[in-house]
Amino acid sequence: MIANTAAYHFVTIDHPLQLADQLLARAEAAHLRGSILVAGEGLNLFLAGAQADIDGFYAALHADARFAGMRVKTSYSEHQPFARLKVKVKDEIISFRRDDGQPLEYPRAPAVDPATVQRWLRQGHDDAGKPVVMLDTRNLQEVEFGTFQDALVLPIEKFTDLPAALAPHREALKDSTVVSFCTGGIRCEKAALWMRNDGMDNVLQLDGGILGYFEEVGGEGYEGRCFVFDERVALDAQLHPLVDQPLPEPKPSAF
């Protein structure tokens, strides 16, 4: 079986290009495929390979004090879902382009764990009796595969569209507890931080995103699958892939 991992961590990286080169060498040596994004604000990784190779790669990362607290979410497939390995240096590990939504500049927005969200959805309100609104921060292409029941879905094509798309809903949300969510936690972390800095102090982020919710409590309250950015296409609540088949052999270069 192939271990498929998703991980991110916001932390100051003084020399992103140097770290990118180091991680490329480690991942290549471990025969991993997927993507690694490095920025001054941290890391964003989607990597797949044999379990022992994955474990060794992340053990080395966790041994670095900067990434000791990085959470790794894992699912499995019979086949490798990535065609190759890509390592890039970016301005942001998830592009938001909002000065008031940058995690290194402010304390982390409050998070709520999956078990609590499950309980709130089951009882129909939070522990203070306020209605709970699940706010999907993903784009419409992803939402088509599934989302939380009765979630607020915004008509966005990219993450940077979120502030403008949210504007018409802000008044209606003011008396609710808003839980921001995304695939693995990275977008809802920035979104929740920005919303709170912009005056919405009733916003929380779902810790670990949809994948963390599936991993910890299953799919209660969620309808459909979770889109993922590889050849598996989407995962169900048991983290089983929609598509699990060998990738075609790379075409030879034309000369």
Side-chain angles (χ1 to χ4, degrees):
M1 297 294 286
I2 298 294
N4 304 281
T5 63
Y8 76 92
H9 197 64
F10 288 111
V11 66
T12 299
I13 297 177
D14 294 324
H15 304 288
L17 184 57
Q18 179 181 336
L19 179 60
D21 289 341
Q22 293 172 352
L23 295 181
L24 173 61
R26 287 183 197 169
E28 286 181 333
H31 310 291
L32 304 182
R33 296 182 189 177
S35 66
I36 300 174
L37 299 182
V38 187
E41 67 175 8
L43 286 180
N44 189 11
L45 310 98
F46 294 94
L47 291 172
Q51 185 71 68
D53 295 328
I54 283 286
D55 289 345
F57 179 88
Y58 282 107
L61 260 183
H62 284 141
D64 184 326
R66 295 173 296 178
F67 310 113
M70 182 175 66
R71 177 182 177 182
V72 181
K73 293 175 284 293
T74 306
S75 59
Y76 296 92
S77 60
E78 291 188 15
H79 302 286
Q80 170 63 255
F82 295 101
R84 59 189 182 277
L85 174 66
K86 297 183 291 184
V87 180
K88 296 182 179 180
V89 175
K90 297 280 191 176
D91 292 332
E92 298 180 71
I93 54 174
I94 182 65
S95 182
F96 195 39
R97 301 173 192 160
R98 300 286 307 205
D99 290 340
D100 48 356
Q102 300 305 324
L104 298 187
E105 303 297 325
Y106 302 92
R108 188 174 191 255
V112 58
D113 62 272
T116 299
V117 170
Q118 180 191 46
R119 178 166 53 81
W120 286 354
L121 295 178
R122 186 181 294 164
Q123 67 193 24
H125 54 79
D126 69 5
D127 293 335
K130 295 174 62 176
V132 174
V133 176
M134 301 298 292
L135 172 61
D136 203 325
T137 65
R138 303 171 302 157
N139 64 51
L140 289 177
Q141 175 193 0
E142 299 168 77
V143 174
E144 287 179 357
F145 286 86
T147 189
F148 281 95
Q149 185 176 1
D150 298 324
L152 173 57
V153 173
L154 303 176
I156 63 177
E157 295 183 0
K158 55 186 184 298
F159 186 44
T160 51
D161 295 337
L162 185 143
L166 180 64
H169 302 279
R170 292 179 63 138
E171 181 66 22
L173 293 173
K174 68 179 184 179
D175 295 323
S176 301
T177 292
V178 178
V179 179
S180 167
F181 71 91
C182 59
T183 305
I186 186 170
R187 282 175 287 182
C188 47
E189 181 157 345
K190 282 197 172 187
L193 179 60
W194 166 74
M195 285 186 277
R196 292 185 71 89
N197 284 338
D198 204 48
M200 295 180 66
D201 59 2
N202 58 328
V203 175
L204 307 171
Q205 58 181 308
L206 174 58
D207 209 13
I210 299 167
L211 296 181
Y213 188 88
F214 285 175
E215 196 172 59
E216 293 186 29
V217 301
E220 184 177 352
Y222 192 93
E223 298 178 331
R225 297 173 179 264
C226 178
F227 179 86
V228 291
F229 295 89
D230 58 57
E231 295 300 324
R232 294 171 297 164
V233 183
L235 305 181
D236 65 16
Q238 290 73 47
L239 300 174
H240 297 151
L242 177 63
V243 177
D244 192 359
Q245 60 190 24
L247 294 177
E249 291 295 323
K251 295 180 180 180
S253 299
F255 292 98

